[in-house]
Amino acid sequence: PVTDQAFVTLGTNDIYCQGALVLGKSLRNHKTTRQLVVMITSQVSSRMRAVLSNIFDEVIEVDILDSADSVHLALMKRPELGITFTKFQCWTLTRYTKCVYMDADTIVLCNIDELFDRDEFSAAPDSGWPDCFNSGVFVFRPSLETFHKLLQFAEIHGSFDGGDQGLLNSFFSNWATTDISKHLPFIYNLSISSVYTYKPAFLQFGSEAKVVHFLGTPKPWNCKYNPQTRWIVEDESLSGNEHLSYLVLWWEIYISDILPLLT
Ligand code: UDP
Ligand code: MN
């Protein structure tokens, strides 16, 4: 195993931690050689922490409010950015030299350790505005200097979308034009909506997908799953069999590998 590189995710509450568990298990199932790290906050229950430690090498509690003055100031102006700042805590994991951050609403379909060949800051295009990257999957180098620069930047400029993605796109603003090797292929962050917004492309390339991102709503854990039919109980907001089959995949991991740990 490679001990100085890690996949990192974030779960600020027990609900999102369910996603982190499925993601972590999917990485294990595909035999990653990297460390698995989950960042949590004080809201996460002690029972959930114990379950997380079954799958993750490290369960690290991080503060939503950091002691740095810049964070307090920024939070006073934009309190809803609290969760956003929590994601930036991944830059403080300086015991690792390189990491891949993944949202708790992603799963891997195969081994993706080759992402560690990429450098900071690498990410895939966002399906809504492809000159912006999507911040659900990115390669980065932990650095306290970068962490503090990000917080300063947040304080001065805020985030154009109110979330971490807007801020990261402004901070790493040369991503779109400077170095094509920092553009991860879309198959490393296949947003679930692309399955129907550009169906011909999905039919052509979808079988190569490596990471599925359940961007937006509903999140997999909010869908209803019928274990008898092994299918999602359909809802108007869900469309298309391919979309549903990814949700089924999430639920299969959840039921077979996660639920037994939780009960
Ligand atoms: N997150 C969290 N708690 C929250 C909201 C978000 O831990 O209350 C984390 C979680 O890792 C999540 C990520 O922040 O995957 C980004 O949020 P989300 O995936 O909901 O945003 P989307 O990808 O749908 O824009
Ligand atoms: Mn997400």
Side-chain angles (χ1 to χ4, degrees):
V2 183
T3 56
D4 67 337
Q5 298 183 341
F7 285 100
V8 178
T9 188
L10 168 67
T12 64
N13 54 47
D14 283 19
I15 306 284
Y16 271 92
C17 282
Q18 298 179 92
L21 285 165
V22 172
L23 166 63
K25 186 62 187 170
S26 74
L27 286 160
R28 290 269 181 241
N29 288 346
H30 294 290
K31 306 211 171 344
T32 179
T33 61
R34 270 44 175 208
Q35 302 293 295
L36 299 188
V37 175
V38 59
M39 301 187 297
I40 59 167
T41 65
S42 59
Q43 294 165 50
V44 174
S45 70
S46 52
R47 203 173 116 248
M48 179 55 85
R49 291 171 197 233
V51 174
L52 286 166
S53 63
N54 280 300
I55 291 188
F56 288 88
D57 296 294
E58 284 203 274
V59 180
I60 300 178
E61 184 171 328
V62 295
D63 283 339
I64 289 185
L65 289 169
D66 193 86
S67 57
D69 282 348
S70 59
V71 185
H72 286 307
L73 282 173
L75 282 173
M76 279 190 316
K77 279 185 231 156
R78 298 291 306 273
E80 78 278 15
L81 290 182
I83 297 296
T84 289
F85 287 136
T86 312
K87 194 190 267 197
F88 300 153
Q89 295 272 18
C90 69
W91 267 276
T92 66
L93 303 174
T94 52
R95 75 201 78 176
Y96 302 104
T97 55
K98 195 190 281 184
C99 296
V100 173
Y101 171 84
M102 300 183 76
D103 267 3
D105 60 342
T106 62
I107 50 169
V108 304
L109 307 180
C110 58
N111 184 293
I112 56 164
D113 287 356
E114 70 273 11
L115 282 182
F116 289 90
D117 296 339
R118 306 268 179 165
D119 285 322
E120 179 170 287
F121 180 93
S122 297
D126 185 78
S127 57
W129 195 271
D131 283 346
C132 289
F133 54 80
N134 181 275
S135 62
V137 176
F138 59 84
V139 182
F140 70 101
R141 253 177 215 286
S143 150
L144 293 181
E145 190 190 339
T146 308
F147 177 65
H148 291 298
K149 281 186 181 161
L150 273 165
L151 298 183
Q152 262 168 22
F153 193 92
E155 187 192 344
I156 298 165
H157 305 281
S159 164
F160 70 75
D161 67 1
D164 65 285
Q165 179 160 315
L167 199 136
L168 286 172
N169 268 278
S170 302
F171 189 80
F172 294 106
S173 61
N174 64 359
W175 173 86
T177 52
T178 305
D179 181 356
I180 196 69
S181 75
K182 292 181 176 170
H183 281 233
L184 299 181
F186 193 60
I187 53 172
Y188 285 100
N189 187 350
L190 178 73
S191 115
I192 200 71
S193 57
S194 309
V195 169
Y196 44 87
T197 53
Y198 194 0
K199 187 152 188 182
F202 179 77
L203 294 175
Q204 180 75 3
F205 303 113
S207 63
E208 295 165 32
K210 292 173 187 279
V211 178
V212 174
H213 185 180
F214 299 99
L215 187 84
T217 50
K219 295 303 184 201
W221 48 86
N222 291 327
C223 294
K224 285 205 181 70
Y225 179 73
N226 182 336
Q228 266 75 53
T229 59
R230 303 181 76 192
W231 201 244
I232 301 294
V233 181
E234 295 198 34
D235 177 286
E236 286 144 37
S237 62
L238 301 170
S239 61
N241 272 358
E242 297 86 357
H243 183 168
L244 293 176
S245 66
Y246 289 129
L247 287 167
V248 168
L249 186 62
W250 189 96
W251 272 95
E252 281 179 353
I253 300 173
Y254 184 74
I255 288 189
S256 67
D257 300 326
I258 306 304
L259 213 49
L261 299 174
L262 290 170
T263 47

